[in-house]
Amino acid sequence: MNKLDILLGLQWGDEGKGKVVDALTPNYDIVARFQGGPNAGHTIKFEGKKFVLHNIPSGVLTPGCVNVIGNGVIIDPYILKGEIEGLCEAGFDLRQTLKIANRAHLILPTHRAMDAANEKALGKMKVGTTLKGIGPTYTDKTARKGLRIGDIGLADFCDKYNHLKESHLQQIKNLDFDMDELRLDGMTFADYEKAWFEGVEYLKQYEFIDSEYYINEALDAGKKVLAEGAQGSMLDVDFGSYPFVTSSNVIAAGVCSGLGVAPNRIGKVFGIFKAYCTRVGTGPFPTELFDETGELLRQNGHEFGATTGRPRRCGWLDLPALKYAVMLSGVTDLMMMKSDVMDDFKTVKVATGYRYNNKETKHLPFAACTETMEPVYTEIPGWQQKIEGQIPQKLEDYIKFIENYVGVPIKFVSYGPDRTQNVWR
Ligand code: IMP
């Protein structure tokens, strides 16, 4: 049986999925997103230009590759329109190659307003969301109230929209949130709503599909399909550092529900991680560094959010967390990103366990919390050498240490943002 491959982030997102998908897509006919929405920001450098993709799969720059936004994704038509237009200006016409699932849910302007209102109400306990409306949209999906892409063409679309909007406005009022103060991408709510409806109209020129049939029939016909994850395993709604997580299943299981593909159709699972760790937003981060080494990782690695521009929190590689993510998704091939960021480091540390409740453990505790967990580190000599065609021996030792701990081979090492700066092992 022809199988679908998956590519996932194994940390807290921002592992560099965009670059790897772009490197892999020449081997695939279809790239499909299965969860998340415009909270994602996948950066690809192509012919000297930088593209940041939020909703659109990263196969979009590869000629002939079909890009599917699957049923598990949530879509803000205003943001998607802007993204398509940006690609059109750069010479990519997506009318033949972009397909959108009828069952994908819509992010309404009031979902974004609710995201802002919820975060404000949480005060110090806020999640630090991307304010793209992710939580409220998935909440409505599971509460069976949401609007979907396929609803756009129905006669009662505006009625359904107004009904849902009114119920959101009531909830926002209950949270004492001032809608007059709200700015969405610099616009007042009324202006954003207008732009949102223009986005809805604009999307009608693209093909809406039943993506579960499309993907399964493509596999039956021998086509090669890659499912592209967004965010990272430690942000998974079930297994991440709850409640500081996103609102979807970002692990391999999310592919089954987010594209309508059965578990026995899953082939390779590529897992991406950085040679160190980063996180944006609040929530536990056991190996976080607050010193100059953390700052060095941030500066060397240009660790500022692609969607929000926020500085990312930085720290050492967390191997128990990586192993956990590998276990949850059945990762078959690891890909290590940004090794070059630590090229000058004399020594590199990796967490190989945690001290929690006066005991050492290799398991992530249920109530993981930075204050009560202390990482147990192993120190490894730095490689202090750049990759020039070949991986330096000491970097090879670092790689082997990770492989031995996690039990899965590292097949790909990326050492720079350019498409060419990779070594396959
Ligand atoms: P939300 O997905 O916007 O609701 O945000 C929930 C949490 O996930 C916050 O901590 C965000 O910073 C984080 N998050 C969401 N999307 C991404 C991403 O693409 N990369 C990194 N962190 C993300």
Side-chain angles (χ1 to χ4, degrees):
M1 192 194 330
N2 189 26
K3 298 199 174 185
L4 158 150
D5 295 338
I6 305 177
L7 182 135
L8 300 168
L10 301 181
Q11 296 163 323
W12 281 279
D14 309 316
E15 296 90 353
K17 292 177 286 290
K19 177 179 164 169
V20 175
V21 182
D22 184 51
L24 288 177
T25 36
N27 308 328
Y28 292 91
D29 302 300
I30 298 169
V31 179
R33 279 273 308 270
F34 60 91
Q35 50 70 233
N39 47 350
H42 294 174
T43 307
I44 305 179
K45 290 224 166 129
F46 182 69
E47 290 177 355
K49 281 195 200 133
K50 183 171 144 181
F51 296 90
V52 182
L53 304 173
H54 298 289
N55 270 293
I56 298 178
S58 304
V60 78
L61 306 184
T62 303
C65 183
V66 171
N67 292 274
V68 173
I69 302 181
N71 61 279
V73 177
I74 55 177
I75 295 170
D76 182 324
Y78 165 75
I79 295 178
L80 183 52
K81 171 174 177 266
E83 214 178 321
I84 297 173
E85 283 175 342
L87 285 160
C88 277
E89 272 165 32
F92 297 93
D93 183 353
L94 308 191
R95 269 167 300 190
Q96 300 304 318
T97 55
L98 179 67
K99 303 189 188 297
I100 309 171
N102 275 312
R103 292 172 192 275
H105 278 243
L106 288 169
I107 304 174
L108 271 52
T110 39
H111 281 130
R112 288 194 65 177
M114 281 174 66
D115 201 353
N118 288 337
E119 284 284 271
K120 193 163 179 219
L122 283 168
K124 274 192 186 154
M125 286 302 290
K126 72 175 185 178
V127 175
T129 73
T130 58
L131 298 177
K132 301 294 179 198
I134 305 299
T137 306
Y138 277 119
T139 303
D140 275 350
K141 174 177 175 173
T142 44
R144 300 162 294 189
K145 292 180 187 162
L147 284 179
R148 298 182 289 176
I149 282 284
D151 290 322
I152 286 177
L154 303 181
D156 60 353
F157 177 66
C158 281
D159 291 343
K160 282 184 171 162
Y161 172 89
N162 285 324
H163 184 72
L164 193 54
K165 174 184 161 184
E166 283 316 312
S167 101
H168 290 161
L169 289 177
Q170 191 55 50
Q171 292 175 57
I172 290 167
K173 204 170 158 199
N174 293 345
L175 288 168
D176 249 345
F177 184 78
D178 185 357
M179 286 290 283
D180 292 336
E181 272 183 18
L182 179 72
R183 291 293 174 274
L184 295 171
D185 293 6
M187 286 179 258
T188 61
F189 179 79
D191 286 346
Y192 193 84
E193 192 179 39
K194 190 164 164 273
W196 189 89
F197 272 103
E198 284 164 11
V200 167
E201 281 309 306
Y202 180 86
L203 291 187
K204 287 181 179 167
Q205 60 188 302
Y206 290 86
E207 195 183 351
F208 298 164
I209 57 168
D210 293 326
S211 58
E212 64 282 23
Y213 284 115
Y214 186 85
I215 300 278
N216 280 289
E217 285 168 9
L219 287 169
D220 289 342
K223 298 251 193 264
K224 298 213 63 180
V225 184
L226 180 69
E228 175 187 9
Q231 290 83 49
S233 309
M234 301 313 293
L235 290 171
D236 183 89
V237 67
D238 277 281
F239 300 104
S241 43
Y242 194 88
F244 303 100
V245 293
T246 192
S247 298
S248 60
N249 278 123
V250 310
I251 58 171
V255 175
C256 298
S257 57
L259 287 177
V261 173
N264 62 350
R265 289 215 94 145
I266 292 177
K268 276 189 181 300
V269 182
F270 299 103
I272 304 184
F273 69 102
K274 277 194 272 218
Y276 52 97
C277 280
T278 63
R279 170 163 206 170
V280 276
T282 31
F285 180 3
T287 59
E288 182 167 12
L289 291 168
F290 300 95
D291 57 6
E292 61 277 15
T293 309
E295 191 51 40
L296 202 59
L297 289 171
R298 189 171 306 113
Q299 294 306 329
N300 286 1
H302 309 289
E303 295 296 355
F304 298 89
T307 301
T308 57
R310 290 180 288 180
R312 295 181 185 139
R313 300 156 64 191
C314 297
W316 296 120
L317 184 61
D318 185 336
L319 286 181
L322 187 66
K323 193 168 176 162
Y324 183 61
V326 164
M327 173 188 83
L328 294 172
S329 291
V331 171
T332 57
D333 299 51
L334 282 168
M335 301 174 128
M336 186 170 87
M337 311 301 288
K338 290 187 134 179
S339 63
D340 55 304
V341 169
M342 300 195 293
D343 275 353
D344 297 332
F345 285 27
K346 268 202 184 105
T347 51
V348 173
K349 285 188 189 175
V350 285
T352 46
Y354 312 112
R355 206 162 290 113
Y356 181 69
N357 284 344
N358 299 323
K359 280 193 201 126
E360 264 193 36
T361 174
K362 288 189 175 5
H363 282 185
L364 272 172
F366 161 75
C369 145
T370 311
E371 287 76 46
T372 55
M373 284 170 72
E374 199 195 324
V376 176
Y377 286 117
T378 299
E379 214 166 288
I380 297 174
W383 40 98
Q384 294 191 287
Q385 221 182 319
K386 292 199 183 315
I387 293 187
E388 271 152 9
Q390 222 181 334
I391 299 178
Q393 187 52 49
K394 282 191 176 149
L395 176 54
E396 194 61 47
D397 293 344
Y398 184 64
I399 292 170
K400 294 233 169 74
F401 187 88
I402 300 168
E403 289 181 326
N404 282 341
Y405 188 101
V406 176
V408 175
I410 298 178
K411 295 275 180 73
F412 176 95
V413 179
S414 163
Y415 58 93
D418 198 84
R419 269 183 160 184
T420 56
Q421 292 173 300
N422 327 299
V423 178
W424 285 92
R425 291 172 79 238

